[in-house]
Amino acid sequence: MSLPYLGELAALATALCWSVSSLAFESSARSMGALALNLIRLVMALGIFMALGLVRSQTPLPMGVGAHGWLWLSISGLVGFTLGDLCLFHAFVRIGARLSMLVMALVPVLTTLGGFLLGEALGPWAWIGMLVVMAGVGWVILERQPTADGGRTRLDLPGLALGLGGAAGQAAGLLLSKYGMGQGDPFVSTQIRVLAGIGGFVVLFTLLGLWPRVRLAMGNRPALARAGLGSVFGPFLGVSLSLLAVKHAQAGVAATLMALVPVTIIPLAILVKKERVSARAVIGAGIAVAGAAILFL
């Protein structure tokens, strides 16, 4: 017996996982640098996948995937992890996790456009739900906080552009993953994506001579601990659940629910970072949650 709304529930769980991982990675990136963190957290995630493979199938390597799956999942890993997350982690450093994840709310729009190109169709309620979600998170993005000198904060355009690059990478990675995974195992598929992402960073670090940064980052134990926490909730649980979501739900609907990270991250930002969150941010979060509820219609 299949679980009702399995894809939608997996997408909501993904949002919670990414809220935790984004705060952990923001802290780590500020300490060890976004470039080194990208590679280190993927290696950590690969270790978790290999241990899971030994428990599930007595092999640490992804098995049971044909040439088609390896090709498209590898491309997905390069696009989503190497390119997309490289932009996102630099955005974490420039504009912080909360605003970065607000920019990532554009993922549903980009994913839906890509889904149309692949032949997916969405009903009117899905469109309405996505519009309501986008209205809620967009309203929060446009808020300007007062500064100590009586002015208002300005948008960091390069930081927002990096966030947009992360959103484009995630949207493309989702669609490529869905095409490459088919009816395959989400955890095995994610392991292939992680392997491809690591390969992309190895090439990048070798060409740019960035390995000294990695060695320096490995000596920062507090940052490594936070990177480990982010790796469990990000590349391992979060990404695997995202593939489970797109496997059992339409790509645009799954991406919209996963884009609730700007909402789910608010209470964590208050508790962990002691951020002051305005009433406008809370209202915008409520609007976004209402949009997610409409999607279930």
Side-chain angles (χ1 to χ4, degrees):
M1 183 176 67
S2 61
L3 181 66
Y5 299 118
L6 176 59
E8 289 83 353
L9 290 173
L12 288 172
T14 300
L16 293 173
C17 287
W18 282 346
S19 296
V20 175
S21 68
S22 61
L23 289 175
F25 285 145
E26 178 196 346
S27 177
S28 296
R30 294 185 186 278
S31 299
M32 67 170 61
L35 278 169
L37 175 60
N38 267 282
L39 177 60
I40 289 171
R41 57 103 190 197
L42 286 180
V43 173
M44 288 179 171
L46 179 61
I48 299 172
F49 279 112
M50 294 176 71
L52 179 65
L54 285 171
V55 173
R56 296 177 66 195
S57 54
Q58 291 73 54
T59 176
L61 301 176
M63 304 298 290
V65 179
H68 169 86
W70 271 95
L71 173 63
W72 290 103
L73 289 170
S74 296
I75 296 174
S76 171
L78 290 171
V79 172
F81 286 136
T82 305
L83 299 178
D85 282 358
L86 183 63
C87 292
L88 177 60
F89 279 49
H90 278 288
F92 281 165
V93 176
R94 290 192 65 101
I95 60 177
R98 193 165 70 90
L99 185 54
S100 296
M101 300 316 291
L102 282 169
V103 177
M104 294 295 285
L106 291 173
V107 170
V109 176
L110 300 174
T111 306
T112 301
L113 292 175
F116 268 119
L117 296 178
L118 296 177
E120 283 194 355
L122 295 175
W125 281 112
W127 283 107
I128 293 172
M130 283 190 290
L131 288 174
V132 174
V133 171
M134 295 301 297
V137 295
W139 192 41
V140 179
I141 289 174
L142 295 176
E143 183 180 18
R144 298 292 176 269
Q145 297 287 349
T147 59
D149 59 3
R152 293 281 177 174
T153 55
R154 295 182 178 181
L155 286 178
D156 185 329
L157 293 180
L160 292 174
L162 288 167
L164 180 59
Q170 186 177 122
L174 275 173
L175 292 169
L176 290 167
S177 295
K178 184 166 186 174
Y179 181 65
M181 178 175 60
Q183 298 302 311
D185 184 277
F187 286 93
V188 173
S189 299
T190 306
Q191 186 177 4
I192 294 174
R193 295 187 70 212
V194 168
L195 282 167
I198 291 173
F201 278 114
V202 167
V203 172
L204 180 65
F205 275 61
T206 301
L207 291 176
L208 299 180
L210 298 175
W211 290 108
R213 294 192 185 186
V214 179
R215 288 193 292 269
L216 183 63
M218 291 298 293
N220 191 333
R221 291 190 177 183
L224 283 176
R226 293 190 293 272
L229 176 66
S231 297
V232 171
F233 284 94
F236 178 60
L237 286 177
V239 175
S240 297
L241 286 169
S242 74
L243 294 192
L244 183 66
V246 297
K247 179 178 179 180
H248 292 282
Q250 288 186 321
V253 173
T256 302
L257 292 173
M258 286 186 279
L260 286 175
V261 176
V263 176
T264 57
I265 201 175
I266 288 177
L268 292 176
I270 295 173
L271 292 173
V272 177
K273 297 181 63 182
K274 309 301 181 183
E275 282 192 20
R276 296 182 62 183
V277 179
S278 66
R280 175 170 174 169
V282 176
I283 294 172
I287 294 173
V289 171
I294 292 174
L295 287 173
F296 283 93
L297 298 176

